[in-house]
Amino acid sequence: MADELTYYRRALHQVYETPVRDELVQDWVTRDMIELTASGEHKRGLLLMTGTEGFIPATSAGLATAKELCILCGDTEIPEGQKAAVYAYFSGTFKGSSIILSWEAEGDDHEAMIEGVRETLRQHNILVK
């Protein structure tokens, strides 16, 4: 039988997942299953917000008033008119250069755009390094 400390560590690990650091995740994260309602190809690191039904890619206009923000955990493709159950990070520490903003154009300064949304992300427990 496991001692209390082992049980505590296992329970804590289930709540606060500790993934290996990579190009997106820099420290602790929490994640949960969401319903992604936007069809198309979506890349890991895409910033998402609540829509009328489920989650959609975040927009610059909707970012400030979104009820919840999260970051897509893995690549996914959703056929037209379909929805998908996927995992998303709801809090943690992330590398700003790997967060994907759907409204960003080819010539935009990504660092400046991330800096512009840093405070909004922080209010949703998404910390950017």
Side-chain angles (χ1 to χ4, degrees), residues 45-49 56-58 63 70-71 99-101 103 121 126:
L46 178 64
L47 184 62
L48 303 170
M49 68 182 195
I56 58 172
L63 198 62
C70 59
I71 297 173
I99 296 174
I100 300 169
L101 305 174
W103 65 91
L121 296 176
I126 297 173

Side-chain angles (χ1 to χ4, degrees), residues 1-2 6 8 16 22 32 66 78-79 82 106 116-117 126:
M1 183 165 177
T6 303
Y8 172 76
Y16 295 103
D22 62 12
D32 202 356
I78 303 173
Q82 304 255 336
E106 178 99 16
V117 299
I126 297 173

Side-chain angles (χ1 to χ4, degrees), residues 8-28:
Y8 172 76
R9 285 184 180 150
R10 188 176 332 118
L12 186 63
H13 205 274
Q14 290 171 353
V15 174
Y16 295 103
E17 298 188 14
T18 312
V20 176
R21 290 182 181 197
D22 62 12
E23 287 303 309
L24 176 62
V25 175
Q26 295 296 295
D27 208 348
W28 62 272

Side-chain angles (χ1 to χ4, degrees), residues 13-109:
H13 205 274
Q14 290 171 353
V15 174
Y16 295 103
E17 298 188 14
T18 312
V20 176
R21 290 182 181 197
D22 62 12
E23 287 303 309
L24 176 62
V25 175
Q26 295 296 295
D27 208 348
W28 62 272
V29 295
T30 60
R31 71 177 188 160
D32 202 356
M33 184 72 68
I34 63 165
E35 186 174 74
L36 186 55
T37 59
S39 60
E41 187 177 323
H42 306 290
K43 297 288 184 190
R44 179 176 190 257
L46 178 64
L47 184 62
L48 303 170
M49 68 182 195
T50 48
T52 54
E53 296 179 19
F55 284 81
I56 58 172
T59 63
S60 62
L63 198 62
T65 59
K67 184 176 178 184
E68 290 187 86
L69 297 177
C70 59
I71 297 173
L72 188 63
C73 287
D75 295 349
T76 188
E77 190 168 343
I78 303 173
E80 189 65 38
Q82 304 255 336
K83 301 175 184 177
V86 297
Y87 278 104
Y89 299 117
F90 278 86
S91 61
T93 305
F94 303 92
K95 189 171 184 179
S97 62
S98 296
I99 296 174
I100 300 169
L101 305 174
S102 64
W103 65 91
E104 185 174 359
E106 178 99 16
D108 289 343
D109 181 358

